[in-house]
Amino acid sequence: MMKKHTFPKEERLCNKRLIDDLFRNGSSFFVYPYRVTSLRVEGVSPKLQVLLSVPKRRFRYAVQRNLLKRRMREAYRLQKNERLYPALESQPFGMILAIRYVGNEVLDYAVMYARMADVLRKLGNEIEIP
C-alpha cells in the first residue's frame, strides 16, 4: 500500500522544551543550502518531528522566507516516505529534526529538492548505523 505524501501538524516540531533540547544536545551536519540538527528521543508520539526555518537575517522580506519554507516543506513532504521512514520504523527511538536554510540566495525548487534528497539519505544512513 502506498503512503500518502502528507505533512500533518503532529509531525511538526512545536514543543519549546524539545526545540531547546534539540539545539542544546543535538548533532548537526551541513548539506548546502541546509544545516540539519538532529536528536534521538524516546517517547515522541510520531516517530519523527521536523522544524523548518529560514533566517530573517539573510532574507529580509517575508515573501522570500515564505517561498523558501514552502519549497523546503514540499521537498521534504514528497521524499520522507521513501528515504527516511523505512529506516526509522525498525528503530525503538524517535527523532526530532531542525532543517535550516543557510544559503544566501533563493534557489530553484529543483536544486532544493535534490539537496533535500541528500539530507534525507544521510539521515537514513545515520539512523541505521547507531
Side-chain angles (χ1 to χ4, degrees):
M1 185 177 142
M2 191 172 133
K3 285 191 173 186
K4 287 186 176 182
H5 298 293
T6 61
F7 189 41
K9 171 79 170 140
E10 298 84 46
E11 290 183 14
R12 297 170 196 245
L13 182 58
C14 300
N15 187 325
K16 292 218 185 290
R17 185 185 55 81
L18 286 176
I19 293 170
D20 289 343
D21 285 349
L22 173 63
F23 287 113
R24 192 174 301 117
N25 304 322
S27 62
S28 67
F29 63 90
F30 179 77
V31 174
Y32 184 82
Y34 304 118
R35 172 161 295 287
V36 180
T37 307
S38 63
L39 181 66
R40 294 179 182 194
V41 289
E42 304 295 328
V44 178
S45 55
K47 280 271 201 177
L48 183 65
Q49 289 187 345
V50 180
L51 170 76
L52 300 168
S53 71
V54 178
K56 194 173 187 179
R57 179 180 287 178
R58 285 204 172 99
F59 297 97
R60 193 171 121 208
Y61 300 110
V63 172
Q64 291 179 325
R65 292 194 303 274
N66 292 339
L67 172 70
L68 288 169
K69 284 190 280 189
R70 263 197 315 274
R71 288 180 179 175
M72 287 170 63
R73 211 170 31 240
E74 185 71 1
Y76 172 79
R77 181 184 71 82
L78 291 175
Q79 298 180 70
K80 67 178 181 171
N81 289 332
E82 296 90 33
R83 305 195 190 286
L84 199 53
Y85 273 80
L88 198 58
E89 284 177 358
S90 62
Q91 302 296 335
F93 55 83
M95 283 194 85
I96 52 176
L97 298 175
I99 303 175
R100 292 175 290 173
Y101 189 90
V102 294
N104 289 321
E105 67 281 339
V106 177
L107 293 176
D108 289 338
Y109 174 71
V111 174
M112 293 178 71
Y113 185 89
R115 296 292 187 247
M116 186 63 76
D118 296 340
V119 165
L120 297 179
R121 192 175 304 113
K122 188 167 182 171
L123 279 168
N125 292 341
E126 283 184 13
I127 291 169
E128 290 173 352
I129 302 167

